[in-house]
Amino acid sequence: MANVRIATAGMRNWILNLHAALSGTGVHAAHMAVAAYIGRGGHGSRPETIADAYWRLHTERAEAELVIQDLPDDYLERGLADKFSESHESTESTGPEPGKS
């Protein structure tokens, strides 16, 4: 995960500097970070809400960065990748047994 975070930080820094360099040229560069369980959280996690935020960022061209954060209070305890936990795997259907349909 460290490599992804380093790359993301580099991309964010580059976009924010690009935004400043392009100021006054009519070209808009912006960074949007989404920290949410998309479609499974509150209002800020709804796909429509995120799409509206992207559209506003594009049309208004006022901000260099927009952060959507809609994680539950216990997201650190639950883990961001809980789909890989044993308890989650045991509740998923593995499909029909081999040779049976």
Side-chain angles (χ1 to χ4, degrees):
M1 291 301 291
N3 290 339
V4 173
R5 290 181 183 149
I6 291 169
T8 302
M11 180 180 67
R12 176 184 174 268
N13 188 42
W14 178 70
I15 291 171
L16 295 178
N17 282 300
L18 184 62
H19 175 83
L22 294 171
S23 179
T25 67
V27 178
H28 182 245
H31 176 260
M32 183 162 170
V34 179
Y37 292 118
I38 299 173
R40 296 185 354 190
H43 177 73
S45 298
R46 294 179 44 217
E48 302 83 14
T49 303
I50 295 168
D52 288 343
Y54 268 110
W55 184 248
R56 278 191 320 276
L57 189 63
H58 167 70
T59 57
E60 294 174 6
R61 298 174 175 251
E63 300 174 74
E65 181 173 39
L66 181 61
V67 177
I68 293 178
Q69 186 168 349
D70 188 23
L71 291 170
D73 292 336
D74 66 343
Y75 80 95
L76 288 175
E77 290 82 23
R78 290 173 43 191
L80 293 177
D82 64 347
K83 67 181 181 179
F84 298 110
S85 70
E86 289 181 32
S87 63
H88 182 77
E89 290 172 3
S90 65
T91 60
E92 286 186 350
S93 171
T94 57
E97 292 180 33
K100 296 184 179 182
S101 49

